[in-house]
Amino acid sequence: MGMSDLYSVKEMARILADSDESEEYRRVYRQIRYWTEKDNLPPDSGPNPGTGVSLEYDEDSLYHAAILQELSNIGVAQPALMVLASQLTDVYGTKVWANAKSGKKDPVYLTGLFGPSGNVDWRVSVGASHAAEIDNYPKNPELQKRGNPFLYTSAVVINLTNTFKRVKII
């Protein structure tokens, strides 16, 4: 498959599960369908291509699914994944996204900063994560002066560069 190819749900599940014969494959297949239904994973063919028409995803969506898989494996809840979906597609095609996919530069991190009221702020960064912001808010007068509404109480960090190494496009 080349760079401009589209992937079916089955093909994506096979790539992410590294097989099509395992329970892991069946789980990933169900997750991809669920993420699509919940608008966490936008298909290239549109959310409802019609009866008998397969959902198809581009290469960026394949990497997006790898992120969702990683976050689901560590228990990140559906509402936080919804916020991520709306922010992540803005990163597609950027130099940072390309660096994460190539694995040839400094590591790229995805950090989810969570507040006590359930709010989440997702950030992509190179070289270091934004996790330290949960400690910096009370000490950072500039954030306080700007009236930053988020007081972060926890963070989730994944290394996108390492996560993307699992995605082996054939």
Side-chain angles (χ1 to χ4, degrees):
M1 292 188 178
M3 294 295 282
S4 64
D5 287 333
L6 296 177
Y7 301 88
S8 69
V9 175
K10 287 181 181 180
E11 290 167 329
M12 286 181 48
R14 188 176 302 118
I15 290 167
L16 295 174
D18 203 26
S19 166
D20 61 357
E21 307 265 335
S22 66
E23 181 57 37
E24 174 70 2
Y25 166 81
R26 290 185 286 282
R27 185 180 66 80
V28 172
Y29 180 90
R30 288 188 306 269
Q31 284 180 315
I32 292 168
R33 305 268 317 178
Y34 177 77
W35 295 326
T36 302
E37 178 186 316
K38 296 297 183 185
D39 295 326
N40 298 139
L41 185 63
D44 198 62
S45 55
N48 256 333
T51 304
V53 178
S54 296
L55 292 171
E56 294 183 314
Y57 303 82
D58 63 16
E59 182 181 307
D60 287 325
S61 295
L62 177 59
Y63 285 96
H64 187 143
I67 294 169
L68 292 173
Q69 183 182 25
E70 186 72 22
L71 292 171
S72 294
N73 287 344
I74 61 174
V76 174
Q78 171 62 26
L81 296 179
M82 286 286 294
V83 174
L84 173 64
S86 66
Q87 295 176 352
L88 196 57
T89 54
D90 293 339
V91 181
Y92 290 1
T94 66
K95 189 174 182 179
V96 171
W97 187 256
N99 288 346
K101 288 168 47 175
S102 76
K104 295 178 182 171
K105 303 268 184 185
D106 289 335
V108 177
Y109 296 96
L110 174 68
T111 305
L113 298 163
F114 294 83
S117 62
N119 56 301
V120 61
D121 186 14
W122 291 100
R123 307 220 182 139
V124 175
S125 58
V126 177
S129 77
H130 287 277
E133 290 188 31
I134 63 174
D135 295 328
N136 291 339
Y137 179 83
K139 302 172 195 167
N140 188 329
E142 184 58 37
L143 286 176
Q144 292 174 358
K145 189 173 19 172
R146 284 189 296 172
N148 187 340
F150 299 121
L151 173 60
Y152 304 118
T153 55
S154 61
V156 170
V157 178
I158 64 168
N159 182 322
L160 293 181
T161 306
N162 287 343
T163 300
F164 289 175
K165 286 179 184 175
R166 290 186 303 116
V167 179
K168 293 178 179 61
I169 299 174
I170 302 164

